[in-house]
Amino acid sequence: MSARVVVIGVGNPLRGDDGVGPAAVEALRGRVPDGTVLTVSDGEPARMLDVWRGADTVVVVEALRAQSARPGELHTLTAADAASRTAATASTHALGLAECLALAEVLGQLPQRLVVHAVEVADVELGAPLSEAVRSALPDLVDRVAASVRRAHGPNHEE
């Protein structure tokens, strides 16, 4: 039996670098094993929990606004790291990933494995395109996500 793997690109493509999650999901099409669920979300916790219900592994791709920003810098976080780190940073969404993870834990809906691939953003203004820093980081981000998905599907899908 194959693991159920869900990739969620969180963000809004109409808000500059906040669109990196959806852009990564689009770039993953055809690069991950069949059966991988690729979806986008605005980050609203109830919708996120609904999307990952029953998943063995969830991979979240997210924009991150750090206090000492280094636009384009990539981060790979566990669920615990993401909960503590994103709570101390500014999400580009009304409720951040930390709140979503806290809700999932309270409801007993955390997946067996959750990994977050995040990129630090430069510009999230309405109507802005991806910044040069984030656009340049996108190929490496997609490679990291694809590798996480292959690992989640098992040894037959490793590089």
Side-chain angles (χ1 to χ4, degrees):
M1 184 158 120
S2 181
R4 181 166 186 265
V5 180
V6 176
V7 178
I8 306 171
V10 179
N12 181 344
L14 301 176
R15 294 193 65 92
D17 291 342
D18 190 41
V20 72
V25 165
E26 188 58 36
L28 285 164
R29 297 193 190 285
R31 290 194 54 191
V32 294
D34 290 342
T36 302
V37 176
L38 297 174
T39 190
V40 297
S41 173
D42 61 3
E44 195 280 321
R47 286 190 285 274
M48 295 272 288
L49 296 181
D50 190 47
V51 168
W52 78 40
R53 186 181 322 275
D56 300 297
T57 299
V58 174
V59 180
V60 176
V61 188
E62 170 76 287
L64 179 69
R65 245 192 297 201
Q67 291 184 1
S68 58
R70 293 180 300 263
E73 184 165 329
L74 301 177
H75 301 272
T76 300
L77 310 167
T78 65
D81 292 338
S84 64
R85 185 163 185 169
T86 59
T89 61
S91 173
T92 57
H93 318 292
L95 292 174
L97 186 57
E99 291 87 358
C100 182
L101 294 172
L103 179 61
E105 185 171 18
V106 167
L107 296 175
Q109 294 184 10
L110 276 175
Q112 292 174 6
R113 182 168 188 267
L114 184 136
V115 63
V116 178
H117 291 286
V119 61
E120 291 186 29
V121 300
D123 184 4
V124 294
E125 292 300 315
L126 185 61
L130 290 179
S131 67
E132 180 57 37
V134 170
R135 190 172 40 257
S136 294
L138 188 57
D140 287 340
L141 176 66
V142 170
D143 287 346
R144 286 184 183 199
V145 174
S148 289
V149 169
R150 286 190 298 275
R151 277 191 298 277
H153 277 288
N156 294 336
H157 296 284
E158 293 284 339
E159 291 183 305

